[in-house]
Amino acid sequence: MYRKEEQPLPPPEKFELPFEGKLSPNNRWVIMAELIPWDDFEEEYAKLFSAEKGAPAKLFRMALGTLIIKEKLGTSDRETIEQIRENPYLQYFIGLNCYQQEPPLESSMLVHFRKRIDGELINKINKKIVKREIDKSDKEVKKKDCLQEKGEKIKNKGKLILDATCAPADIKYPTDLGILNQARIETERIIDNLYKPLRVKLRKKPRTSRKIARKEYLKVAKKRKVSYQERRKAIGKQLKYLKKNLGNIEDLIQAGASLENLSKRQKNCLETIKKVYEQQQSMWENKTQSVPQRIVSLTQPHIRPIVRGKAGKPIEFGAKLSVSCVDNYVFLDKISWKNFNESCHLKEQVEKYKETFGYYPESVHVDKIYRTRENRNWCKERGIRISGPKLGRPPKNVSEEEKKQAHSDECFRNAIEGKFGQAKRRFSLNLVRFSLNLVMTKLPETSITSIAITFLVVNLSKLLRQFLSLFLSLFTNNRTGELVKPPFINFDYTLNNFYVLKLIDLSENSWSKVA
């Protein structure tokens, strides 16, 4: 059941605190709360719940706000709830009316939030925030529809950057021998669970030879250098052990064992193991190293190997993304767990640009894989200039203007590479995190939501930096006479400026964060 709050939230100055004072309107979380259109998407979120049945669900602002806080701070689910419990600004950000010392929700609710708020809804929020900011900065556009007078043709405006990347998942580097060993261990656990209710009926438990199989695996796994014959022989042995275990599972089921004794995870794992055995047996018999729809993880069978050809990482394991960049704002256009050709989606991405802003871009900046003959002709028909040299044999003489234009296009296209670096290093686009207390998403739907949240937070961080630069510009001194003085930091002068702008309160001796 979903209940919408009838009373609007109070401004930050009227947020009730247990001690004397009030929230600063210049805090980063207060500013970010004003940037997000919470009410515009609350009805779409409320459709997921019944209007009469069930316990009251958490509000949309609390659900989305908690996920944004987790991504912005880079904390785990439990640590995110602790931060919200201790910080009144975070409680205001998720929609609370007053400060409370008890946590507003449990950490397990974040899993449900990631399932309910899908990537499509987050992309809608992202586009609306960016479109509103671009329309504000564009002085020539008088209306949001970008409509012109009748009879006049809408001109192409803006520059669009397209590129693709991969978000590596948190899995162990897959090897054929390692996957078969893991599958054998899981089948041994399944046999133990199926045999428990049949102890009276069956005197002996089916033999699995687990100790011998483990020794055979470690004999090869511990070697630094393994020959092809040794590896192939070890894989063949593990295939025999796995086939024997799968046969024992079928015998137990025929003897009266039920799959209901297994957990949901073990049921899904058993189906995955059967597919892994078929794939590995086919590769072993045919002496090949590849198979269609190859499974590289038992716990995350949706992950596929993505061949990228990058230096140091020729193959990545995770989701492949197709991303567009407009005025340093990034949009997630397509995400898939399969390896796709990103050049096939250029037309779709350009049409999304027109749908969002009302006109085609003036130029599209892409790398070599996008510059196909079909894409070039399609862009030429619509008056869109595509970056890069022409197809065919390169000319002998290239003018200085063409060299300058090519260099300018290549430098401009590097902006999206910086966004990828920011999303992977600063935020969690790289699903592999190096801290043990962080929760990594495992399901395909929750992973897509986590990736979409990352791009939303990247755009919100850019808006916060613009706000910070606006405030820092107030502190600059334009008098040229002081420029020749040796640089130094005047702490008294800076402190007075912050006090005049009400960014700090000297009476309470408490700083208000700007960004």
Side-chain angles (χ1 to χ4, degrees):
M1 182 175 62
Y2 191 85
R3 295 178 180 176
K4 183 179 180 180
E5 286 189 352
E6 298 180 357
Q7 298 180 355
L9 292 175
E13 296 85 357
K14 296 184 180 180
F15 186 83
E16 297 181 6
L17 296 173
F19 45 84
E20 295 183 0
K22 58 183 180 180
L23 299 182
S24 172
N26 299 321
N27 183 269
R28 58 173 177 170
W29 297 106
V30 177
I31 298 171
M32 194 183 302
E34 297 176 356
L35 295 174
I36 303 174
W38 309 99
D39 299 334
D40 297 348
F41 299 92
E42 188 173 6
E43 295 182 1
E44 186 173 353
Y45 180 74
K47 294 179 181 178
L48 302 174
F49 306 92
S50 175
E52 300 177 355
K53 299 180 180 180
K58 302 296 182 182
L59 297 178
F60 173 69
R61 178 165 179 171
M62 181 175 293
L64 180 61
T66 306
L67 295 179
I68 292 176
I69 292 172
K70 172 183 169 20
E71 183 66 27
K72 181 68 177 176
L73 300 180
T75 54
S76 63
D77 291 355
R78 293 182 179 179
E79 181 62 24
T80 301
I81 302 303
E82 289 297 321
Q83 293 289 338
I84 294 175
R85 186 180 65 85
E86 298 169 356
N87 195 330
Y89 285 101
L90 299 182
Q91 294 188 10
Y92 174 81
F93 182 75
I94 63 175
L96 297 183
N97 296 323
C98 59
Y99 176 77
Q100 61 184 40
Q101 296 182 356
E102 298 181 357
L105 69 159
E106 298 291 334
S107 59
S108 60
M109 287 300 300
L110 271 73
V111 180
H112 300 285
F113 293 161
R114 284 190 285 265
K115 291 182 179 180
R116 296 168 183 170
I117 305 177
D118 56 357
E120 184 178 356
L121 178 59
I122 296 174
N123 290 335
K124 291 181 181 178
I125 300 172
N126 191 17
K127 287 183 179 180
K128 187 161 187 178
I129 294 174
V130 173
K131 187 177 184 301
R132 184 177 58 184
E133 296 301 324
I134 291 179
D135 289 347
K136 286 181 181 179
S137 60
D138 192 358
K139 298 180 180 179
E140 298 177 358
V141 180
K142 297 182 180 180
K143 297 181 180 180
K144 295 182 179 180
D145 325 6
C146 300
L147 297 178
Q148 295 184 353
E149 298 180 0
K150 296 182 179 180
E152 293 185 4
K153 187 178 180 180
I154 300 178
K155 298 181 180 179
N156 297 350
K157 298 179 183 178
K159 297 180 180 181
L160 178 64
I161 310 176
L162 304 179
D163 203 353
T165 187
C166 182
D170 181 43
I171 65 171
K172 181 182 178 182
Y173 189 86
T175 59
D176 295 338
L177 185 60
I179 292 175
L180 289 174
N181 177 70
Q182 185 181 0
R184 177 187 58 79
I185 295 174
E186 291 294 335
T187 52
E188 292 169 356
R189 295 172 181 172
I190 292 174
I191 290 174
D192 295 340
N193 292 337
L194 293 178
Y195 177 72
K196 286 180 181 180
L198 300 177
R199 288 180 177 177
V200 179
K201 186 176 181 181
L202 299 178
R203 296 182 179 180
K204 293 184 180 181
K205 187 171 64 173
R207 186 175 180 181
T208 57
S209 306
R210 60 186 69 188
K211 293 184 179 180
I212 300 175
R214 175 173 172 78
K215 289 182 180 179
E216 295 291 342
Y217 166 72
L218 294 177
K219 187 186 299 183
V220 179
K222 288 185 175 181
K223 287 187 177 182
R224 296 185 61 182
K225 293 184 180 181
V226 184
S227 64
Y228 172 77
Q229 291 78 8
E230 291 177 339
R231 185 182 294 107
R232 176 174 171 80
K233 185 178 179 180
I235 291 174
K237 290 183 179 180
Q238 295 297 322
L239 283 172
K240 292 179 181 179
Y241 293 129
L242 182 58
K243 181 180 179 180
K244 182 179 179 180
N245 291 347
L246 292 176
N248 292 334
I249 292 174
E250 295 295 334
D251 295 340
L252 290 174
I253 294 175
Q254 292 179 2
S258 176
L259 294 178
E260 299 299 328
N261 297 327
L262 303 178
S263 62
K264 183 178 179 181
R265 175 188 171 278
Q266 287 182 329
K267 293 179 183 179
N268 297 333
C269 189
L270 180 59
E271 297 297 327
T272 304
I273 290 173
K274 293 179 180 179
K275 296 179 182 179
V276 168
Y277 173 75
E278 294 177 359
Q279 292 180 356
Q280 295 292 334
Q281 184 69 25
S282 175
M283 288 190 295
W284 189 81
E285 293 176 353
N286 299 326
K287 296 183 179 181
T288 59
Q289 300 295 328
S290 63
V291 67
Q293 302 297 324
R294 183 177 181 178
I295 297 176
V296 295
S297 175
L298 297 182
T299 57
Q300 303 181 59
H302 55 276
I303 295 177
R304 297 290 179 268
I306 306 296
V307 181
R308 296 284 293 165
K310 301 292 184 180
K313 290 184 178 181
I315 301 177
E316 294 179 297
F317 305 93
K320 188 173 182 180
L321 321 174
S322 186
V323 182
S324 59
C325 181
V326 181
D327 290 344
N328 286 331
Y329 295 101
V330 286
F331 302 96
L332 179 61
D333 296 326
K334 181 177 177 58
I335 179 171
S336 176
W337 298 102
K338 299 180 182 179
N339 196 359
F340 60 87
N341 190 346
E342 53 265 32
S343 64
C344 301
H345 303 282
L346 181 139
K347 303 176 184 178
E348 182 181 353
Q349 290 175 289
V350 175
E351 290 294 343
K352 286 183 179 180
Y353 179 93
K354 182 183 179 182
E355 182 182 354
T356 304
F357 302 103
Y359 44 80
Y360 285 114
E362 182 180 356
S363 60
V364 177
H365 301 263
V366 292
D367 54 9
K368 188 176 181 180
I369 194 173
Y370 288 90
R371 300 165 190 167
T372 61
R373 193 175 303 277
E374 182 181 357
N375 290 339
R376 285 180 174 275
N377 295 335
W378 188 86
C379 293
K380 186 177 181 181
E381 292 175 358
R382 288 155 181 79
I384 304 173
R385 184 181 65 85
I386 189 168
S387 64
K390 298 180 180 180
L391 297 178
R393 182 178 298 177
K396 295 182 180 180
N397 299 325
V398 182
S399 62
E400 292 295 333
E401 294 181 0
E402 293 179 352
K403 291 182 179 180
K404 186 177 180 180
Q405 183 68 47
H407 179 72
S408 177
D409 292 343
E410 194 64 25
C411 293
F412 184 78
R413 198 187 68 83
N414 288 337
I416 196 170
E417 300 293 344
K419 290 297 180 180
F420 288 157
Q422 179 187 5
K424 289 187 177 183
R425 294 179 178 273
R426 172 60 181 86
F427 302 108
S428 62
L429 181 61
N430 191 348
L431 299 182
V432 181
R433 303 302 294 269
F434 300 100
S435 182
L436 298 178
N437 61 342
L438 296 182
V439 178
M440 281 75 71
T441 53
K442 301 296 183 182
L443 300 178
E445 57 271 18
T446 56
S447 298
I448 292 175
T449 301
S450 178
I451 293 171
I453 284 285
T454 299
F455 288 105
L456 175 62
V457 175
V458 168
N459 291 336
L460 290 175
S461 301
K462 180 181 182 300
L463 294 174
L464 288 176
R465 287 196 301 271
Q466 291 179 352
F467 180 82
L468 176 61
S469 62
L470 177 63
F471 270 82
L472 292 179
S473 64
L474 300 177
F475 306 146
T476 58
N477 198 332
N478 294 327
R479 289 179 294 180
T480 58
E482 297 185 1
L483 295 178
V484 296
K485 294 183 178 180
F488 66 95
I489 300 177
N490 191 338
F491 291 99
D492 295 335
Y493 176 74
T494 306
L495 187 64
N496 292 333
N497 282 331
F498 273 92
Y499 177 69
V500 170
L501 293 173
K502 298 180 179 180
L503 297 180
I504 62 171
D505 192 348
L506 295 178
S507 61
E508 298 181 2
N509 193 19
S510 61
W511 283 78
S512 297
K513 297 181 180 179
V514 180

